[in-house]
């Protein structure tokens, strides 16, 4: 059972980077010992991500946990840790599981996607949109 879960997760969530994906690292990262995952996917076949590590909440929100240094999200200068991802490409991300969100965030290198975020600041909430281009990047924390 763990092998099937790990294989499925590797298919969807491995880091889009210039190095090979390490399945042993993924086993620890994605089988219940951590609920963080990078919004990226396989390095083969020109499928890339945005460099956003998201953490799901019990309420169904996807919080930005970390920005991958040098990734498109960090380079935009707009996204901050703690922001809540609301839409990807005009599709609602709230209440979706991490598999669905990852499929929305990933794609071929050079393609772009619009994201809508909510930023809670004290008693106020700010909404903003950002358009990012998927690319290959190195995630040194994976």
């Amino acid at each position: 059972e763990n092998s099937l879960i790990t294989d499925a997760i590797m298919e969807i969530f491995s880091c889009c980077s210039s190095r090979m994906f390490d399945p042993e690292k993924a086993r620890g990262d994605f089988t219940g010992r951590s609920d963080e995952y990078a919004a990226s996917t396989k390095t083969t076949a020109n499928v890339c991500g945005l460099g956003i590590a998201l953490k799901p909440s019990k309420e169904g929100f996807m919080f930005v946990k970390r920005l991958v240094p040098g990734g498109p999200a960090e380079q935009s200068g707009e996204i901050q840790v703690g922001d809540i991802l609301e839409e990807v490409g005009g599709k609602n991300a709230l209440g979706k599981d991490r598999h669905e969100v990852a499929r929305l965030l990933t794609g071929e290198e050079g393609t772009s996607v619009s994201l809508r975020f909510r930023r809670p600041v004290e008693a106020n909430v700010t909404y903003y949109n950002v358009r990012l281009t998927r690319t290959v990047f190195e995630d040194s924390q994976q």
Side-chain angles (χ1 to χ4, degrees):
E1 182 177 302
N2 273 347
S3 177
L4 284 175
I5 292 169
T6 300
D7 290 346
I9 291 169
M10 288 186 329
E11 183 72 22
I12 297 169
F13 294 118
S14 64
C15 181
C16 177
S17 66
S18 58
R19 65 179 200 269
M20 291 302 296
F21 175 64
D22 182 351
E24 289 307 310
K25 279 189 168 182
R27 191 175 313 281
D29 291 343
F30 301 118
T31 57
R33 286 178 249 164
S34 172
D35 54 3
E36 174 187 335
Y37 66 97
S40 56
T41 192
K42 293 195 300 185
T43 59
T44 58
N46 296 329
V47 181
C48 296
L50 303 171
I52 306 171
L54 298 169
K55 181 176 181 176
S57 73
K58 292 177 185 173
E59 297 82 17
F61 301 125
M62 288 289 177
F63 287 94
V64 175
K65 181 170 183 171
R66 171 175 72 85
L67 299 176
V68 176
E74 184 199 53
Q75 290 180 350
S76 76
E78 297 183 53
I79 302 168
Q80 296 179 6
V81 171
D83 290 353
I84 299 168
L85 179 63
E86 291 207 331
E87 290 181 6
V88 180
K91 296 181 182 178
N92 188 359
L94 299 174
K96 300 233 186 285
D97 70 29
R98 54 179 115 199
H99 302 281
E100 293 174 285
V101 173
R103 278 192 283 273
L104 294 172
L105 291 169
T106 57
E108 288 188 38
E109 182 175 11
T111 60
S112 61
V113 64
S114 297
L115 307 174
R116 180 171 175 80
F117 287 92
R118 177 185 346 165
R119 180 172 297 152
V121 180
E122 297 179 18
N124 299 317
V125 176
T126 302
Y127 295 89
Y128 68 95
N129 298 306
V130 61
R131 187 164 192 83
L132 299 177
T133 301
R134 296 171 180 106
T135 189
V136 174
F137 55 88
E138 182 74 25
D139 185 357
S140 61
Q141 291 189 21
Q142 262 211 342

